[in-house]
């Protein structure tokens, strides 16, 4: 798990060991665990998959790309605490 801020200064966690075929399983588990609601449509490309979710005022991105693996990022500052919790959850279920 790699914690950093992206070029837009959003809190981001990368899990580079998670493969693309695990995106849907992990995302479904996170959505259920944290009661997230879809905030955007699922986008799937050759090298990336991503979707935004919302809980109260917190907007998070659950993503996968060929360079970073599975990614959790805070789309707004309200989401940073939630992103920390989600990243710790993903880390715990993938050990």
């Amino acid at each position: 798990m790699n914690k950093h801020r992206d070029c837009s200064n959003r809190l981001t966690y990368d899990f580079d060991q998670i493969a693309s075929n695990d995106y849907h399983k992990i995302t479904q588990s996170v959505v259920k665990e944290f009661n997230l609601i879809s905030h955007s449509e699922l986008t799937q490309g050759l090298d990336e998959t991503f979707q935004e979710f919302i809980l109260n005022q917190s907007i998070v991105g659950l993503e996968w790309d060929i360079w970073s693996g599975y990614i959790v990022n805070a789309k707004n500052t309200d989401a940073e605490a939630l992103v920390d919790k989600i990243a710790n959850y993903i880390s715990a279920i993938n050990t």
Side-chain angles (χ1 to χ4, degrees):
M1 174 171 65
N2 177 31
K3 179 180 179 180
H4 62 93
R5 294 210 175 255
D6 67 10
C7 294
S8 298
N9 201 35
R10 297 176 296 197
L11 179 62
T12 302
Y13 287 87
D14 299 340
F15 297 85
D16 60 358
Q17 299 300 315
I18 296 177
S20 64
N21 58 347
D22 291 327
Y23 174 82
H24 295 291
K25 176 184 75 173
I26 292 170
T27 300
Q28 288 173 350
S29 180
V30 169
V31 167
K32 183 177 179 183
E33 178 71 18
F34 293 93
N35 298 311
L36 302 178
I37 299 168
S38 294
H39 187 63
S40 71
E41 295 294 319
L42 176 66
T43 300
Q44 287 187 278
L46 294 175
D47 296 332
E48 74 272 340
T49 302
F50 56 91
Q51 187 170 8
E52 291 181 2
F53 296 88
I54 191 167
L55 178 65
N56 300 322
Q57 301 299 322
S58 300
I59 302 172
V60 299
L62 301 178
E63 310 173 358
W64 184 90
D65 72 35
I66 197 167
W67 305 277
S68 301
Y70 198 91
I71 304 160
V72 181
N73 66 36
K75 298 296 184 177
N76 59 8
T77 54
D78 291 339
E80 290 190 2
L82 178 58
V83 165
D84 285 332
K85 291 176 186 176
I86 291 171
N88 287 328
Y89 173 77
I90 291 171
S91 184
I93 65 172
N94 280 302
T95 55

